[in-house]
Amino acid sequence: MGFERLAKIATPGAGAARIGLGLAAVGRPAYINLGRDRDLPAERPVEVMRQRSQELLDAAYAAGVRYLDAARSYGRAEEFLAGWLRDRPDAARNVVVGSKWGYTYVADWRTDAETHEVKDHGVRTFERQRGLTDALLGDRLDLYQIHSVTPDSPALTDRELQARLAELAAEGVTVGVSTSGPRQAEAIRAALAVEVEGRPLFRTVQSTYNLLEPSAGAALAEAHAAGRAVIVKEAVANGRLTEAAERLPAALRQVAEETGATPDAVALAAVLHRPWVTVVLSGAATTAQLRSNLAAADLRLDERRLTELERLAETPETYWHHRSELPWS
């Protein structure tokens, strides 16, 4: 099962295997990461983005990355990943593949679309998107997550949906949740309590956690203690903790200078220092960014530096308000 394979490859001390590659930044032409005008060409037809994704997947695998993360709403990310797995059968046997359902991509490959994705956690959306994912990834899918669960998501109470998800789990696919928003901790704890026929349904949790938004930390530690795999997304806060940031936090810049590391590597390393983290995702759009992110696996931060970085935390409301105003580009 995906859960066991993920836990096996991402053990403490596993280096780059504790860093996964998320394909949100290269599966569609527009995203909310800062600096995309520098990271990607102005023209982003499907084949250009397909080639970029293949280059990143090759580089990630060669460096030791073994968890690959896609979603139905990431444009053609599942398609790009499926092609890479097909063309590299040796690599395909050694990676853990995750995807997500619950958002539908509706931007039609436009960067200027008014709406890029539409959220729905209903049974019919699950059935439709599960069929689409299965057509592309088939038995290569290890982990299927509900995308961006919040405390009010029907996925936490819909018994029919939960029964369908339990059937999927019985087929050998690990079922998990991802969370977003200022109430992530509440959503995580609600998900941990969901059972079907007396057995926990969700075996993995993927949440936003970074130096600016650490509010889900205690709940994620509880998930880890309860035997769930914990995947951290948005560890560089959509570019706010990288050189692409207009105003890089002074403490982050200082630690980067002291350690000789890039700000993004410091931000990722700070997450990896949490003992409850199974995998942290790189959302790199270039191979140079990926190499910089992967340096986090070997970066050690002492308690003084970690304490300084912890002072960067914003309130969840401030963080998520700022995130909601980031432009798609």
Side-chain angles (χ1 to χ4, degrees):
M1 292 177 64
F3 171 80
E4 284 78 10
R5 294 184 65 213
L6 184 62
K8 183 177 181 180
I9 65 174
T11 56
R18 289 192 70 207
I19 300 178
L21 179 63
L23 297 175
V26 291
R28 53 194 176 193
Y31 193 45
I32 60 173
N33 284 352
L34 302 177
R36 284 177 67 81
D37 56 333
R38 297 187 297 273
D39 298 339
L40 297 169
E43 298 298 323
R44 302 167 194 170
V46 172
E47 289 310 311
V48 166
M49 299 301 284
R50 187 192 310 274
Q51 181 62 33
R52 178 64 62 92
S53 71
Q54 307 303 293
E55 292 170 357
L56 280 164
L57 286 162
D58 281 341
Y61 184 77
V65 171
R66 293 296 181 266
Y67 176 65
L68 308 174
D69 187 87
R72 285 305 311 159
S73 64
Y74 296 171
R76 298 199 178 196
E78 287 186 337
E79 175 188 328
F80 296 165
L81 178 55
W84 184 84
L85 293 167
R86 181 189 63 244
D87 295 342
R88 292 156 181 80
D90 289 341
R93 286 191 287 270
N94 295 315
V95 296
V96 175
V97 174
S99 193
K100 296 179 285 294
W101 72 274
Y103 269 104
T104 299
Y105 178 69
V106 296
D108 195 28
W109 211 257
R110 291 172 50 195
T111 58
D112 61 348
E114 182 175 343
T115 301
H116 291 264
E117 52 193 19
V118 176
K119 182 177 180 179
D120 182 81
H121 287 167
V123 172
R124 281 186 288 185
T125 294
F126 166 70
E127 300 254 353
R128 174 175 57 82
Q129 293 197 316
R130 173 71 187 111
L132 294 168
T133 297
D134 186 60
L136 289 168
L137 294 173
D139 61 6
R140 289 301 304 114
L141 182 70
D142 297 296
L143 167 62
Y144 210 37
Q145 304 157 97
I146 309 176
H147 206 162
S148 294
V149 169
T150 54
D152 58 352
S153 170
L156 296 172
T157 55
D158 187 333
R159 302 307 292 177
E160 180 184 359
L161 172 63
Q162 292 167 5
R164 302 291 178 87
L165 291 170
E167 291 172 2
L168 180 62
E171 295 171 7
V173 177
T174 294
V175 173
V177 296
S178 77
T179 66
S180 294
R183 298 166 63 196
Q184 286 190 109
E186 186 178 343
I188 292 164
R189 291 180 174 118
L192 294 178
V194 174
E195 295 184 346
V196 175
E197 296 183 354
R199 301 181 63 182
L201 178 60
F202 302 116
R203 301 296 304 280
T204 66
V205 178
Q206 181 178 138
S207 299
T208 294
Y209 179 88
N210 57 56
L211 294 173
L212 301 178
E213 176 22 349
S215 66
L220 291 172
E222 292 167 22
H224 172 77
R228 272 57 161 200
V230 173
I231 303 168
V232 169
K233 61 186 175 77
E234 298 184 357
V236 295
N238 301 101
R240 293 179 63 195
L241 299 176
T242 71
E243 294 289 4
E246 292 182 2
R247 293 188 301 169
L248 194 66
L252 178 58
R253 187 182 300 280
Q254 180 179 340
V255 173
E257 291 173 353
E258 290 174 354
T259 58
T262 54
D264 57 281
V266 172
L268 286 160
V271 174
L272 287 170
H273 275 67
R274 303 305 178 197
W276 39 263
V277 172
T278 308
V279 171
V280 59
L281 295 179
S282 164
T286 70
T287 54
Q289 286 178 351
L290 177 65
R291 288 193 297 271
S292 184
N293 288 177
L294 293 178
D298 299 315
L299 181 59
R300 298 295 174 261
L301 302 174
D302 59 27
E303 288 301 318
R304 177 186 65 81
R305 291 180 175 128
L306 287 170
T307 299
E308 289 295 319
L309 293 170
E310 287 172 358
R311 296 192 177 111
L312 298 178
E314 302 173 345
T315 67
E317 292 74 20
T318 297
Y319 178 86
W320 289 98
H321 176 73
H322 189 289
R323 187 186 184 281
S324 70
E325 295 188 328
L326 293 174
W328 289 77
S329 62

